[in-house]
Amino acid sequence: MIKKLLMAAAVVVMAVPAAAQGSRRSEVSVSYGVAPVTDWIDSYSDMLTGLFTNANTDLEGWGAVTVGYSFRLIGSLRLGAQVVYSSNTQEVRDRYWSLLPNVKWNWMNLKVVSFYSRLGAGASFSRSEVGGESDKSTQFAFQVSPVGVEVGGRVAAYAEAGIGTSG
Protein backbone atom coordinates (compact mmCIF):
# COMPACT_ATOMS: atom_id res chain seq x y z
CA MET A 1 0.00 0.00 0.00
CA ILE A 2 2.72 2.47 0.98
CA LYS A 3 4.76 1.59 -2.11
CA LYS A 4 1.76 2.30 -4.34
CA LEU A 5 1.17 5.62 -2.58
CA LEU A 6 4.78 6.70 -3.04
CA MET A 7 4.79 5.65 -6.69
CA ALA A 8 1.60 7.66 -7.25
CA ALA A 9 3.25 10.66 -5.60
CA ALA A 10 6.25 10.28 -7.92
CA VAL A 11 3.96 10.22 -10.97
CA VAL A 12 2.17 13.36 -9.75
CA VAL A 13 5.52 15.09 -9.15
CA MET A 14 6.48 14.42 -12.76
CA ALA A 15 3.05 15.18 -14.27
CA VAL A 16 2.36 18.56 -12.64
CA PRO A 17 5.09 20.46 -14.51
CA ALA A 18 3.72 19.13 -17.81
CA ALA A 19 0.32 20.53 -16.85
CA ALA A 20 1.92 23.87 -15.94
CA GLN A 21 3.21 24.10 -19.57
CA GLY A 22 6.53 25.76 -18.93
CA SER A 23 5.47 28.03 -16.10
CA ARG A 24 8.54 29.32 -14.29
CA ARG A 25 6.60 29.03 -11.09
CA SER A 26 7.19 25.26 -11.17
CA GLU A 27 10.46 23.44 -10.59
CA VAL A 28 11.25 19.75 -11.02
CA SER A 29 14.49 18.28 -9.69
CA VAL A 30 16.25 14.93 -9.83
CA SER A 31 19.28 14.38 -7.63
CA TYR A 32 21.70 11.90 -6.15
CA GLY A 33 22.94 12.18 -2.57
CA VAL A 34 25.92 10.56 -0.89
CA ALA A 35 25.68 9.05 2.62
CA PRO A 36 22.02 9.51 3.56
CA VAL A 37 21.23 9.44 7.28
CA THR A 38 19.54 6.05 6.86
CA ASP A 39 22.97 4.54 6.03
CA TRP A 40 24.48 6.13 9.14
CA ILE A 41 21.80 4.75 11.43
CA ASP A 42 22.08 1.24 9.98
CA SER A 43 25.87 1.33 10.08
CA TYR A 44 26.06 2.38 13.76
CA SER A 45 23.39 -0.07 14.95
CA ASP A 46 25.08 -2.93 13.06
CA MET A 47 28.48 -1.90 14.43
CA LEU A 48 27.15 -2.19 18.00
CA THR A 49 25.60 -5.58 17.21
CA GLY A 50 28.91 -6.71 15.66
CA LEU A 51 30.77 -5.95 18.89
CA PHE A 52 28.76 -8.61 20.69
CA THR A 53 28.17 -11.17 17.91
CA ASN A 54 31.37 -10.81 15.86
CA ALA A 55 29.21 -10.35 12.74
CA ASN A 56 30.24 -8.68 9.48
CA THR A 57 29.72 -4.91 9.89
CA ASP A 58 30.71 -3.73 6.39
CA LEU A 59 27.77 -1.69 5.11
CA GLU A 60 27.23 -1.59 1.36
CA GLY A 61 25.01 1.26 0.21
CA TRP A 62 24.82 3.40 -2.90
CA GLY A 63 23.31 6.64 -1.63
CA ALA A 64 19.90 8.19 -2.27
CA VAL A 65 17.99 9.18 -5.40
CA THR A 66 15.55 12.06 -5.01
CA VAL A 67 12.79 13.39 -7.28
CA GLY A 68 11.22 16.67 -6.25
CA TYR A 69 8.68 19.26 -7.28
CA SER A 70 8.20 22.77 -5.96
CA PHE A 71 6.31 25.92 -6.87
CA ARG A 72 6.92 29.55 -6.05
CA LEU A 73 4.64 30.53 -3.18
CA ILE A 74 5.56 34.22 -2.76
CA GLY A 75 8.69 36.10 -3.78
CA SER A 76 11.71 33.83 -3.37
CA LEU A 77 9.94 31.28 -1.15
CA ARG A 78 9.09 27.89 -2.69
CA LEU A 79 6.93 25.08 -1.32
CA GLY A 80 7.37 21.51 -2.51
CA ALA A 81 7.86 17.83 -1.84
CA GLN A 82 10.53 15.23 -2.49
CA VAL A 83 10.34 11.44 -2.87
CA VAL A 84 13.59 9.72 -1.83
CA TYR A 85 14.73 6.12 -2.37
CA SER A 86 17.79 4.60 -0.72
CA SER A 87 18.99 1.09 0.02
CA ASN A 88 21.84 -0.60 1.86
CA THR A 89 22.93 -4.13 2.64
CA GLN A 90 24.92 -5.70 5.42
CA GLU A 91 23.59 -8.87 6.95
CA VAL A 92 20.17 -7.27 6.56
CA ARG A 93 18.95 -5.58 3.37
CA ASP A 94 17.23 -2.27 4.14
CA ARG A 95 15.18 -0.26 1.64
CA TYR A 96 13.76 3.19 2.35
CA TRP A 97 11.11 5.28 0.59
CA SER A 98 10.72 8.77 2.06
CA LEU A 99 8.25 11.55 1.42
CA LEU A 100 9.46 15.01 2.47
CA PRO A 101 7.38 18.18 2.17
CA ASN A 102 9.83 21.11 2.16
CA VAL A 103 10.40 24.82 1.86
CA LYS A 104 13.16 26.45 -0.19
CA TRP A 105 14.26 30.04 0.18
CA ASN A 106 16.40 31.69 -2.53
CA TRP A 107 18.34 34.26 -0.52
CA MET A 108 20.67 35.54 -3.28
CA ASN A 109 19.71 35.72 -6.95
CA LEU A 110 22.27 36.78 -9.52
CA LYS A 111 21.78 36.58 -13.30
CA VAL A 112 22.74 32.93 -13.76
CA VAL A 113 23.60 31.85 -10.19
CA SER A 114 21.36 31.71 -7.14
CA PHE A 115 21.97 30.60 -3.57
CA TYR A 116 19.32 29.00 -1.40
CA SER A 117 18.50 27.06 1.76
CA ARG A 118 16.10 24.09 2.00
CA LEU A 119 14.36 22.46 4.97
CA GLY A 120 12.16 19.37 4.80
CA ALA A 121 10.49 16.98 7.22
CA GLY A 122 8.30 13.96 6.62
CA ALA A 123 8.19 10.18 6.90
CA SER A 124 10.46 7.34 5.84
CA PHE A 125 8.96 3.92 5.17
CA SER A 126 11.48 1.11 5.52
CA ARG A 127 11.53 -2.58 4.75
CA SER A 128 14.23 -4.84 6.17
CA GLU A 129 14.84 -8.34 4.83
CA VAL A 130 17.00 -11.08 6.31
CA GLY A 131 16.75 -14.66 5.16
CA GLY A 132 13.12 -15.26 4.25
CA GLU A 133 11.71 -12.81 6.79
CA SER A 134 10.94 -9.12 6.45
CA ASP A 135 9.95 -6.26 8.72
CA LYS A 136 8.39 -2.87 7.91
CA SER A 137 8.56 0.37 9.88
CA THR A 138 7.83 4.07 9.59
CA GLN A 139 10.29 6.66 10.88
CA PHE A 140 10.73 10.43 10.99
CA ALA A 141 12.66 11.76 7.96
CA PHE A 142 14.32 15.14 7.47
CA GLN A 143 16.62 17.09 5.17
CA VAL A 144 18.46 20.25 6.19
CA SER A 145 20.47 22.00 3.47
CA PRO A 146 21.73 25.35 4.80
CA VAL A 147 23.57 26.24 1.57
CA GLY A 148 22.72 25.32 -2.01
CA VAL A 149 23.85 26.80 -5.30
CA GLU A 150 21.97 26.67 -8.59
CA VAL A 151 23.51 27.58 -11.95
CA GLY A 152 21.46 28.03 -15.11
CA GLY A 153 18.08 29.21 -16.36
CA ARG A 154 15.17 27.01 -17.45
CA VAL A 155 17.49 24.00 -17.13
CA ALA A 156 19.92 24.27 -14.23
CA ALA A 157 22.48 22.28 -12.28
CA TYR A 158 22.61 22.50 -8.53
CA ALA A 159 24.57 21.31 -5.52
CA GLU A 160 23.63 21.34 -1.84
CA ALA A 161 25.58 21.00 1.38
CA GLY A 162 23.22 19.27 3.76
CA ILE A 163 22.35 16.39 6.03
CA GLY A 164 19.36 14.09 6.07
CA THR A 165 17.45 11.46 4.16
CA SER A 166 18.56 12.77 0.74
CA GLY A 167 22.24 12.58 1.65
Side-chain angles (χ1 to χ4, degrees):
M1 175 67 174
I2 292 172
K3 235 183 203 183
K4 290 178 184 177
L5 181 64
L6 288 173
M7 291 304 285
V11 168
V12 169
V13 163
M14 292 185 174
V16 171
Q21 299 202 350
S23 170
R24 291 185 173 225
R25 293 183 53 89
S26 298
E27 181 179 283
V28 174
S29 61
V30 178
S31 65
Y32 170 76
V34 178
V37 169
T38 51
D39 284 359
W40 297 6
I41 293 167
D42 291 339
S43 179
Y44 292 133
S45 66
D46 291 339
M47 209 180 319
L48 288 173
T49 303
L51 287 174
F52 299 108
T53 63
N54 202 20
N56 178 15
T57 59
D58 294 332
L59 183 74
E60 295 177 17
W62 51 269
V65 175
T66 304
V67 175
Y69 171 76
S70 68
F71 63 93
R72 189 173 59 237
L73 194 57
I74 52 171
S76 59
L77 187 65
R78 301 183 79 78
L79 187 61
Q82 295 177 313
V83 176
V84 184
Y85 176 77
S86 64
S87 174
N88 63 57
T89 304
Q90 196 166 21
E91 296 206 4
V92 176
R93 179 172 184 206
D94 294 312
R95 289 183 282 181
Y96 298 90
W97 284 96
S98 304
L99 183 58
L100 298 169
N102 62 61
V103 294
K104 177 181 172 185
W105 174 50
N106 286 30
W107 41 271
M108 181 185 290
N109 291 314
L110 305 171
K111 286 187 178 187
V112 179
V113 178
S114 64
F115 294 89
Y116 63 90
S117 298
R118 183 188 314 263
L119 178 64
S124 184
F125 308 97
S126 67
R127 181 179 178 143
S128 301
E129 297 173 356
V130 62
E133 297 183 27
S134 67
D135 185 35
K136 297 178 183 179
S137 68
T138 303
Q139 305 162 350
F140 175 73
F142 71 94
Q143 181 66 35
V144 177
S145 300
V147 179
V149 62
E150 186 175 308
V151 179
R154 290 182 65 86
V155 176
Y158 67 95
E160 292 182 1
I163 184 171
T165 308
S166 295

